[in-house]
Amino acid sequence: MTRIAIYPGSFDPPTRGHEDLIRRSLALADRVIVAVAVNPLKQPLFTVAERLAMLQAAIGDEPRVNYQSFDGLLVEFARQVGATIVVRGLRAVSDFEYEFQMALMNRQLHPSLETVFLVPALELTYLSSSLVREVARFGGDVSALVQPGVAEALARRYGR
Ligand code: PNS
């Protein structure tokens, strides 16, 4: 049986923390689907297609990882693709409440779908897409935090 994990998120933009989690997920599953959520309530900086391309560029040639977008409920997407695991990153205690709520709601909706929390590399623990956007917006150097292509896309988006 092929074990399929989903790593869902907004990835706006993908950071080196996301990249680290995707690589770690490969230890848990035969295939990892990196799933960009389409959220009509959010105004993302990058389109879904841009985020998928950035994720693909970050991971490179890894046949066990593929990239998809989904709208609607994560649990429905998991059913469609036959995934049994959802991977989420836990960076700090501040992540915990939101992640715990989401994991329990997803279990309510899909009891056999397991949420697994992975801890990122220590040096990436402070990292988040929203902080990266903020630093880039004010012209700060994000080159250690994201792939070069993402840093360039941020600079272009913020008119630098
Ligand atoms: O990177 P994010 O923004 O923290 O990711 C959150 C995400 C996309 C995983 C979550 O909002 C999600 O699963 N959205 C899909 C809609 C859904 O299933 N919502 C109920 C979750 S309990």
Side-chain angles (χ1 to χ4, degrees):
M1 195 189 101
T2 305
R3 194 182 284 264
I4 302 173
I6 301 179
Y7 178 39
S10 303
F11 305 108
D12 189 37
T15 67
R16 290 201 186 271
H18 295 129
E19 191 184 325
D20 179 57
L21 264 269
I22 294 168
R23 294 191 197 286
R24 288 178 196 280
S25 309
L26 287 168
L28 301 176
D30 302 303
R31 278 182 53 211
V32 174
I33 299 175
V34 182
V36 176
V38 179
N39 183 346
L41 301 179
K42 274 192 186 174
Q43 280 257 307
L45 185 61
F46 294 105
T47 66
V48 169
E50 286 171 325
R51 285 177 271 161
L52 288 169
M54 287 170 181
L55 285 159
Q56 206 148 5
I59 300 302
D61 190 19
E62 172 47 76
R64 291 166 57 209
V65 180
N66 65 53
Y67 308 85
Q68 296 186 39
S69 59
F70 72 102
D71 49 21
L73 288 175
L74 176 63
V75 291
E76 293 310 326
F77 180 67
R79 285 197 179 97
Q80 276 166 31
V81 297
T84 52
I85 300 171
V86 171
V87 173
R88 291 285 292 171
L90 258 195
R91 293 164 300 187
V93 179
S94 52
D95 282 344
F96 184 77
E97 192 160 335
Y98 170 60
E99 294 297 335
F100 199 64
Q101 268 185 351
M102 240 182 1
L104 287 175
M105 180 56 78
N106 284 333
R107 175 173 287 163
Q108 169 72 25
L109 299 169
H110 187 337
S112 63
L113 183 68
E114 290 296 341
T115 299
V116 174
F117 295 111
L118 293 182
V119 175
L122 184 62
E123 68 276 15
L124 301 171
T125 297
Y126 63 95
L127 195 50
S128 71
S129 296
S130 56
L131 272 183
V132 165
R133 286 197 304 272
E134 184 167 330
V135 171
R137 179 181 302 123
F138 295 114
D141 179 12
V142 293
S143 60
L145 314 177
V146 297
Q147 286 286 322
V150 175
E152 284 159 23
L154 282 163
R156 276 198 305 275
R157 198 56 45 105
Y158 289 123
R160 292 179 190 277

